[in-house]
Amino acid sequence: KQEVTQIPAALSVPEGENLVLNCSFTDSAIYNLQWFRQDPGKGLTSLLLIQSSQREQTSGRLNASLDKSSGRSTLYIAASQPGDSATYLCAVRPVTGGGNKLTFGTGTQLKVEL
Amino acid sequence: DVKVTQSSRYLVKRTGEKVFLECVQDMDHENMFWYRQDPGLGLRLIYFSYDVKMKEKGDIPEGYSVSREKKERFSLILESASTNQTSMYLCASSLLEGSYNSPLHFGNGTRLTVT
């Protein structure tokens, strides 16, 4: 059974710092991995999707990498800002189980302080 | 931009009531999903649908049913609400074509409290 782990559960950094969020998964048979952002009490906003054949994706200050063979992905946030404060979740789409059932991590709660 | 709209942000219902959670998307997506999110447990899939009148059970379907009469609307039904169904409910949609690499788009969630 696919399991997705995000460590640390919470992270606090000063404004302007570059930071890396980690996501690991146990079964490398995936179609893709998606990173989401969730603000308190809100739904999830899709940030980046990396297909299994890709190594990385970039959007603005965000860069996500994927090492499928080792079961790891990282989300790099450059020059962090207080507005980046949110919970960041990763989710994998496993090949088994029909491909429609994403498996989510429990998230990393990020706080960027002034 | 894809818009997924959940009709209620907050709901308070009594034990035993029948509860309807509504979700509408405006991008002609074939796939629609219902998740619940609980602290420490993350997001868990309740049901999904890949076409009108089609549905498939997710990981935790017990105590829930769904309805998809129109492509843009996917309803989650709690036949007899119980306190352990107090949770944040999230609806999502995605394209069917290239679906395995189509991103999920979420609504803002409905926080349901059952007393």
mmCIF file of all heavy atoms in Angstrom, chain A residues 8-47:
data_model
loop_
_atom_site.group_PDB
_atom_site.id
_atom_site.type_symbol
_atom_site.label_atom_id
_atom_site.label_comp_id
_atom_site.label_asym_id
_atom_site.label_seq_id
_atom_site.Cartn_x
_atom_site.Cartn_y
_atom_site.Cartn_z
ATOM 1 N N PRO A 8 9.516 18.098 7.749
ATOM 2 C CA PRO A 8 8.869 18.079 9.054
ATOM 3 C C PRO A 8 7.375 18.364 8.954
ATOM 4 O O PRO A 8 6.905 18.814 7.917
ATOM 5 C CB PRO A 8 9.589 19.207 9.784
ATOM 6 C CG PRO A 8 9.904 20.183 8.694
ATOM 7 C CD PRO A 8 10.217 19.353 7.474
ATOM 8 N N ALA A 9 6.663 18.175 10.049
ATOM 9 C CA ALA A 9 5.243 18.507 10.066
ATOM 10 C C ALA A 9 5.036 20.007 10.122
ATOM 11 O O ALA A 9 4.003 20.516 9.665
ATOM 12 C CB ALA A 9 4.567 17.839 11.264
ATOM 13 N N ALA A 10 5.995 20.719 10.696
ATOM 14 C CA ALA A 10 5.888 22.171 10.788
ATOM 15 C C ALA A 10 7.271 22.785 10.654
ATOM 16 O O ALA A 10 8.276 22.174 11.047
ATOM 17 C CB ALA A 10 5.254 22.584 12.110
ATOM 18 N N LEU A 11 7.303 23.997 10.106
ATOM 19 C CA LEU A 11 8.571 24.668 9.821
ATOM 20 C C LEU A 11 8.353 26.169 9.944
ATOM 21 O O LEU A 11 7.367 26.700 9.421
ATOM 22 C CB LEU A 11 9.011 24.298 8.404
ATOM 23 C CG LEU A 11 10.323 24.857 7.870
ATOM 24 C CD1 LEU A 11 11.491 24.334 8.689
ATOM 25 C CD2 LEU A 11 10.480 24.468 6.400
ATOM 26 N N SER A 12 9.287 26.831 10.624
ATOM 27 C CA SER A 12 9.205 28.283 10.759
ATOM 28 C C SER A 12 10.522 28.884 10.281
ATOM 29 O O SER A 12 11.595 28.452 10.718
ATOM 30 C CB SER A 12 8.944 28.661 12.219
ATOM 31 O OG SER A 12 8.804 30.058 12.348
ATOM 32 N N VAL A 13 10.452 29.851 9.367
ATOM 33 C CA VAL A 13 11.660 30.443 8.801
ATOM 34 C C VAL A 13 11.498 31.960 8.752
ATOM 35 O O VAL A 13 10.384 32.481 8.702
ATOM 36 C CB VAL A 13 11.943 29.910 7.377
ATOM 37 C CG1 VAL A 13 12.127 28.395 7.391
ATOM 38 C CG2 VAL A 13 10.871 30.319 6.402
ATOM 39 N N PRO A 14 12.603 32.691 8.755
ATOM 40 C CA PRO A 14 12.517 34.156 8.596
ATOM 41 C C PRO A 14 12.298 34.517 7.138
ATOM 42 O O PRO A 14 12.718 33.791 6.217
ATOM 43 C CB PRO A 14 13.883 34.641 9.091
ATOM 44 C CG PRO A 14 14.790 33.485 8.900
ATOM 45 C CD PRO A 14 13.979 32.263 9.061
ATOM 46 N N GLU A 15 11.661 35.649 6.921
ATOM 47 C CA GLU A 15 11.402 36.119 5.568
ATOM 48 C C GLU A 15 12.698 36.233 4.767
ATOM 49 O O GLU A 15 13.734 36.643 5.288
ATOM 50 C CB GLU A 15 10.729 37.497 5.639
ATOM 51 C CG GLU A 15 10.355 38.085 4.291
ATOM 52 C CD GLU A 15 9.700 39.455 4.425
ATOM 53 O OE1 GLU A 15 9.736 40.025 5.529
ATOM 54 O OE2 GLU A 15 9.153 39.930 3.409
ATOM 55 N N GLY A 16 12.614 35.856 3.512
ATOM 56 C CA GLY A 16 13.762 35.965 2.619
ATOM 57 C C GLY A 16 14.572 34.694 2.494
ATOM 58 O O GLY A 16 15.387 34.564 1.566
ATOM 59 N N GLU A 17 14.354 33.764 3.397
ATOM 60 C CA GLU A 17 15.140 32.529 3.369
ATOM 61 C C GLU A 17 14.637 31.602 2.257
ATOM 62 O O GLU A 17 13.441 31.549 1.965
ATOM 63 C CB GLU A 17 15.025 31.822 4.713
ATOM 64 C CG GLU A 17 16.024 30.700 4.905
ATOM 65 C CD GLU A 17 16.172 30.345 6.369
ATOM 66 O OE1 GLU A 17 16.627 31.216 7.141
ATOM 67 O OE2 GLU A 17 15.846 29.213 6.717
ATOM 68 N N ASN A 18 15.581 30.885 1.643
ATOM 69 C CA ASN A 18 15.226 29.814 0.717
ATOM 70 C C ASN A 18 14.953 28.545 1.535
ATOM 71 O O ASN A 18 15.638 28.292 2.531
ATOM 72 C CB ASN A 18 16.353 29.541 -0.277
ATOM 73 C CG ASN A 18 16.715 30.771 -1.078
ATOM 74 O OD1 ASN A 18 15.860 31.595 -1.408
ATOM 75 N ND2 ASN A 18 17.996 30.920 -1.385
ATOM 76 N N LEU A 19 13.979 27.770 1.146
ATOM 77 C CA LEU A 19 13.658 26.591 1.943
ATOM 78 C C LEU A 19 13.239 25.412 1.063
ATOM 79 O O LEU A 19 12.861 25.597 -0.099
ATOM 80 C CB LEU A 19 12.562 26.914 2.958
ATOM 81 C CG LEU A 19 11.223 27.372 2.394
ATOM 82 C CD1 LEU A 19 10.226 26.235 2.408
ATOM 83 C CD2 LEU A 19 10.677 28.555 3.184
ATOM 84 N N VAL A 20 13.341 24.229 1.653
ATOM 85 C CA VAL A 20 13.007 22.988 0.955
ATOM 86 C C VAL A 20 12.033 22.182 1.796
ATOM 87 O O VAL A 20 12.270 21.955 2.984
ATOM 88 C CB VAL A 20 14.283 22.153 0.681
ATOM 89 C CG1 VAL A 20 13.902 20.796 0.086
ATOM 90 C CG2 VAL A 20 15.211 22.905 -0.255
ATOM 91 N N LEU A 21 10.950 21.775 1.175
ATOM 92 C CA LEU A 21 9.987 20.876 1.811
ATOM 93 C C LEU A 21 10.149 19.488 1.193
ATOM 94 O O LEU A 21 10.379 19.368 -0.013
ATOM 95 C CB LEU A 21 8.559 21.381 1.597
ATOM 96 C CG LEU A 21 8.293 22.822 2.045
ATOM 97 C CD1 LEU A 21 6.838 23.196 1.771
ATOM 98 C CD2 LEU A 21 8.626 23.007 3.511
ATOM 99 N N ASN A 22 10.022 18.479 2.027
ATOM 100 C CA ASN A 22 10.284 17.107 1.585
ATOM 101 C C ASN A 22 9.031 16.254 1.542
ATOM 102 O O ASN A 22 8.136 16.400 2.377
ATOM 103 C CB ASN A 22 11.285 16.444 2.533
ATOM 104 C CG ASN A 22 12.615 17.142 2.507
ATOM 105 O OD1 ASN A 22 13.285 17.179 1.494
ATOM 106 N ND2 ASN A 22 12.995 17.719 3.641
ATOM 107 N N CYS A 23 9.017 15.338 0.585
ATOM 108 C CA CYS A 23 7.919 14.387 0.431
ATOM 109 C C CYS A 23 8.542 13.060 0.024
ATOM 110 O O CYS A 23 9.362 13.013 -0.902
ATOM 111 C CB CYS A 23 6.959 14.897 -0.650
ATOM 112 S SG CYS A 23 5.652 13.743 -1.128
ATOM 113 N N SER A 24 8.182 11.993 0.723
ATOM 114 C CA SER A 24 8.678 10.675 0.332
ATOM 115 C C SER A 24 7.503 9.711 0.182
ATOM 116 O O SER A 24 6.474 9.864 0.852
ATOM 117 C CB SER A 24 9.690 10.149 1.349
ATOM 118 O OG SER A 24 9.088 10.013 2.616
ATOM 119 N N PHE A 25 7.662 8.747 -0.710
ATOM 120 C CA PHE A 25 6.598 7.784 -0.973
ATOM 121 C C PHE A 25 7.212 6.398 -1.110
ATOM 122 O O PHE A 25 8.383 6.244 -1.475
ATOM 123 C CB PHE A 25 5.787 8.166 -2.217
ATOM 124 C CG PHE A 25 6.594 8.537 -3.422
ATOM 125 C CD1 PHE A 25 6.883 7.601 -4.409
ATOM 126 C CD2 PHE A 25 7.076 9.828 -3.585
ATOM 127 C CE1 PHE A 25 7.624 7.934 -5.521
ATOM 128 C CE2 PHE A 25 7.822 10.181 -4.700
ATOM 129 C CZ PHE A 25 8.104 9.224 -5.667
ATOM 130 N N THR A 26 6.424 5.379 -0.785
ATOM 131 C CA THR A 26 6.989 4.035 -0.637
ATOM 132 C C THR A 26 6.972 3.214 -1.925
ATOM 133 O O THR A 26 7.776 2.303 -2.081
ATOM 134 C CB THR A 26 6.235 3.263 0.450
ATOM 135 O OG1 THR A 26 4.828 3.272 0.135
ATOM 136 C CG2 THR A 26 6.451 3.892 1.824
ATOM 137 N N ASP A 27 6.067 3.525 -2.842
ATOM 138 C CA ASP A 27 5.948 2.738 -4.069
ATOM 139 C C ASP A 27 6.255 3.647 -5.253
ATOM 140 O O ASP A 27 5.561 4.632 -5.474
ATOM 141 C CB ASP A 27 4.529 2.170 -4.173
ATOM 142 C CG ASP A 27 4.355 1.225 -5.358
ATOM 143 O OD1 ASP A 27 5.237 1.189 -6.246
ATOM 144 O OD2 ASP A 27 3.329 0.527 -5.396
ATOM 145 N N SER A 28 7.293 3.303 -6.003
ATOM 146 C CA SER A 28 7.728 4.188 -7.098
ATOM 147 C C SER A 28 6.862 4.062 -8.358
ATOM 148 O O SER A 28 7.057 4.797 -9.316
ATOM 149 C CB SER A 28 9.184 3.890 -7.455
ATOM 150 O OG SER A 28 9.306 2.557 -7.902
ATOM 151 N N ALA A 29 5.910 3.157 -8.345
ATOM 152 C CA ALA A 29 5.020 3.007 -9.506
ATOM 153 C C ALA A 29 3.924 4.076 -9.440
ATOM 154 O O ALA A 29 2.823 3.836 -8.941
ATOM 155 C CB ALA A 29 4.411 1.612 -9.519
ATOM 156 N N ILE A 30 4.260 5.250 -9.944
ATOM 157 C CA ILE A 30 3.319 6.371 -9.902
ATOM 158 C C ILE A 30 3.206 6.987 -11.282
ATOM 159 O O ILE A 30 4.138 6.916 -12.091
ATOM 160 C CB ILE A 30 3.744 7.456 -8.880
ATOM 161 C CG1 ILE A 30 5.088 8.076 -9.267
ATOM 162 C CG2 ILE A 30 3.791 6.879 -7.471
ATOM 163 C CD1 ILE A 30 5.455 9.315 -8.451
ATOM 164 N N TYR A 31 2.057 7.615 -11.544
ATOM 165 C CA TYR A 31 1.901 8.397 -12.771
ATOM 166 C C TYR A 31 2.492 9.788 -12.608
ATOM 167 O O TYR A 31 3.090 10.347 -13.519
ATOM 168 C CB TYR A 31 0.421 8.531 -13.142
ATOM 169 C CG TYR A 31 -0.197 7.276 -13.672
ATOM 170 C CD1 TYR A 31 -1.176 6.602 -12.949
ATOM 171 C CD2 TYR A 31 0.176 6.740 -14.910
ATOM 172 C CE1 TYR A 31 -1.753 5.438 -13.429
ATOM 173 C CE2 TYR A 31 -0.397 5.572 -15.388
ATOM 174 C CZ TYR A 31 -1.353 4.931 -14.635
ATOM 175 O OH TYR A 31 -1.919 3.776 -15.109
ATOM 176 N N ASN A 32 2.274 10.382 -11.438
ATOM 177 C CA ASN A 32 2.755 11.737 -11.200
ATOM 178 C C ASN A 32 2.713 12.049 -9.713
ATOM 179 O O ASN A 32 2.206 11.276 -8.894
ATOM 180 C CB ASN A 32 1.923 12.766 -11.974
ATOM 181 C CG ASN A 32 0.446 12.727 -11.617
ATOM 182 O OD1 ASN A 32 0.073 12.910 -10.474
ATOM 183 N ND2 ASN A 32 -0.398 12.504 -12.620
ATOM 184 N N LEU A 33 3.273 13.190 -9.389
ATOM 185 C CA LEU A 33 3.239 13.725 -8.026
ATOM 186 C C LEU A 33 2.806 15.174 -8.127
ATOM 187 O O LEU A 33 3.287 15.926 -8.987
ATOM 188 C CB LEU A 33 4.608 13.608 -7.360
ATOM 189 C CG LEU A 33 4.711 14.065 -5.900
ATOM 190 C CD1 LEU A 33 5.696 13.189 -5.139
ATOM 191 C CD2 LEU A 33 5.083 15.521 -5.783
ATOM 192 N N GLN A 34 1.908 15.579 -7.243
ATOM 193 C CA GLN A 34 1.379 16.935 -7.293
ATOM 194 C C GLN A 34 1.604 17.606 -5.943
ATOM 195 O O GLN A 34 1.405 16.992 -4.889
ATOM 196 C CB GLN A 34 -0.128 16.876 -7.625
ATOM 197 C CG GLN A 34 -0.755 18.176 -8.041
ATOM 198 C CD GLN A 34 -2.159 17.986 -8.636
ATOM 199 O OE1 GLN A 34 -2.668 16.893 -8.799
ATOM 200 N NE2 GLN A 34 -2.802 19.104 -8.957
ATOM 201 N N TRP A 35 2.008 18.861 -5.987
ATOM 202 C CA TRP A 35 2.150 19.680 -4.782
ATOM 203 C C TRP A 35 0.976 20.650 -4.706
ATOM 204 O O TRP A 35 0.603 21.274 -5.712
ATOM 205 C CB TRP A 35 3.456 20.469 -4.796
ATOM 206 C CG TRP A 35 4.660 19.659 -4.432
ATOM 207 C CD1 TRP A 35 5.515 19.014 -5.277
ATOM 208 C CD2 TRP A 35 5.152 19.428 -3.111
ATOM 209 N NE1 TRP A 35 6.507 18.381 -4.564
ATOM 210 C CE2 TRP A 35 6.309 18.627 -3.229
ATOM 211 C CE3 TRP A 35 4.745 19.810 -1.830
ATOM 212 C CZ2 TRP A 35 7.063 18.210 -2.123
ATOM 213 C CZ3 TRP A 35 5.481 19.391 -0.740
ATOM 214 C CH2 TRP A 35 6.631 18.601 -0.892
ATOM 215 N N PHE A 36 0.438 20.779 -3.474
ATOM 216 C CA PHE A 36 -0.687 21.673 -3.223
ATOM 217 C C PHE A 36 -0.330 22.610 -2.071
ATOM 218 O O PHE A 36 0.495 22.297 -1.210
ATOM 219 C CB PHE A 36 -1.937 20.881 -2.793
ATOM 220 C CG PHE A 36 -2.491 19.955 -3.829
ATOM 221 C CD1 PHE A 36 -2.043 18.651 -3.925
ATOM 222 C CD2 PHE A 36 -3.479 20.392 -4.694
ATOM 223 C CE1 PHE A 36 -2.576 17.780 -4.861
ATOM 224 C CE2 PHE A 36 -4.021 19.528 -5.643
ATOM 225 C CZ PHE A 36 -3.562 18.226 -5.727
ATOM 226 N N ARG A 37 -1.047 23.704 -2.043
ATOM 227 C CA ARG A 37 -0.988 24.644 -0.929
ATOM 228 C C ARG A 37 -2.393 24.719 -0.330
ATOM 229 O O ARG A 37 -3.391 24.746 -1.076
ATOM 230 C CB ARG A 37 -0.556 26.003 -1.439
ATOM 231 C CG ARG A 37 -0.728 27.118 -0.451
ATOM 232 C CD ARG A 37 -0.493 28.472 -1.080
ATOM 233 N NE ARG A 37 -0.857 29.478 -0.098
ATOM 234 C CZ ARG A 37 -0.105 30.531 0.179
ATOM 235 N NH1 ARG A 37 1.039 30.726 -0.452
ATOM 236 N NH2 ARG A 37 -0.485 31.394 1.087
ATOM 237 N N GLN A 38 -2.470 24.765 1.014
ATOM 238 C CA GLN A 38 -3.761 24.916 1.680
ATOM 239 C C GLN A 38 -3.661 26.004 2.731
ATOM 240 O O GLN A 38 -2.861 25.905 3.664
ATOM 241 C CB GLN A 38 -4.204 23.597 2.322
ATOM 242 C CG GLN A 38 -5.609 23.663 2.912
ATOM 243 C CD GLN A 38 -6.093 22.332 3.436
ATOM 244 O OE1 GLN A 38 -5.307 21.491 3.866
ATOM 245 N NE2 GLN A 38 -7.415 22.110 3.395
ATOM 246 N N ASP A 39 -4.474 27.048 2.574
ATOM 247 C CA ASP A 39 -4.568 28.088 3.587
ATOM 248 C C ASP A 39 -5.570 27.658 4.653
ATOM 249 O O ASP A 39 -6.473 26.861 4.378
ATOM 250 C CB ASP A 39 -4.981 29.400 2.931
ATOM 251 C CG ASP A 39 -3.899 29.923 2.013
ATOM 252 O OD1 ASP A 39 -2.845 30.322 2.544
ATOM 253 O OD2 ASP A 39 -4.059 29.888 0.787
ATOM 254 N N PRO A 40 -5.443 28.177 5.874
ATOM 255 C CA PRO A 40 -6.302 27.727 6.973
ATOM 256 C C PRO A 40 -7.785 27.795 6.623
ATOM 257 O O PRO A 40 -8.284 28.825 6.175
ATOM 258 C CB PRO A 40 -5.940 28.676 8.109
ATOM 259 C CG PRO A 40 -4.541 29.095 7.816
ATOM 260 C CD PRO A 40 -4.452 29.186 6.322
ATOM 261 N N GLY A 41 -8.487 26.706 6.835
ATOM 262 C CA GLY A 41 -9.930 26.658 6.611
ATOM 263 C C GLY A 41 -10.348 26.676 5.154
ATOM 264 O O GLY A 41 -11.537 26.840 4.856
ATOM 265 N N LYS A 42 -9.396 26.523 4.248
ATOM 266 C CA LYS A 42 -9.713 26.601 2.817
ATOM 267 C C LYS A 42 -9.425 25.271 2.128
ATOM 268 O O LYS A 42 -8.900 24.322 2.719
ATOM 269 C CB LYS A 42 -8.855 27.696 2.169
ATOM 270 C CG LYS A 42 -9.109 29.103 2.713
ATOM 271 C CD LYS A 42 -10.338 29.700 2.141
ATOM 272 C CE LYS A 42 -10.558 31.140 2.545
ATOM 273 N NZ LYS A 42 -9.590 32.054 1.920
ATOM 274 N N GLY A 43 -9.754 25.236 0.834
ATOM 275 C CA GLY A 43 -9.442 24.065 0.038
ATOM 276 C C GLY A 43 -7.992 24.062 -0.404
ATOM 277 O O GLY A 43 -7.185 24.877 0.035
ATOM 278 N N LEU A 44 -7.657 23.122 -1.284
ATOM 279 C CA LEU A 44 -6.287 22.980 -1.769
ATOM 280 C C LEU A 44 -6.134 23.691 -3.102
ATOM 281 O O LEU A 44 -7.012 23.610 -3.962
ATOM 282 C CB LEU A 44 -5.953 21.501 -1.962
ATOM 283 C CG LEU A 44 -5.538 20.692 -0.744
ATOM 284 C CD1 LEU A 44 -6.671 20.532 0.243
ATOM 285 C CD2 LEU A 44 -5.008 19.339 -1.169
ATOM 286 N N THR A 45 -4.996 24.356 -3.263
ATOM 287 C CA THR A 45 -4.658 25.001 -4.527
ATOM 288 C C THR A 45 -3.502 24.241 -5.158
ATOM 289 O O THR A 45 -2.462 24.043 -4.515
ATOM 290 C CB THR A 45 -4.245 26.470 -4.297
ATOM 291 O OG1 THR A 45 -5.333 27.163 -3.684
ATOM 292 C CG2 THR A 45 -3.884 27.134 -5.609
ATOM 293 N N SER A 46 -3.678 23.818 -6.399
ATOM 294 C CA SER A 46 -2.622 23.081 -7.083
ATOM 295 C C SER A 46 -1.465 24.013 -7.414
ATOM 296 O O SER A 46 -1.658 25.098 -7.963
ATOM 297 C CB SER A 46 -3.183 22.463 -8.366
ATOM 298 O OG SER A 46 -2.170 21.791 -9.073
ATOM 299 N N LEU A 47 -0.244 23.596 -7.060
ATOM 300 C CA LEU A 47 0.952 24.396 -7.333
ATOM 301 C C LEU A 47 1.715 23.854 -8.551
ATOM 302 O O LEU A 47 1.985 24.588 -9.494
ATOM 303 C CB LEU A 47 1.869 24.398 -6.116
ATOM 304 C CG LEU A 47 1.308 25.036 -4.843
ATOM 305 C CD1 LEU A 47 2.270 24.819 -3.683
ATOM 306 C CD2 LEU A 47 1.034 26.516 -5.051
#
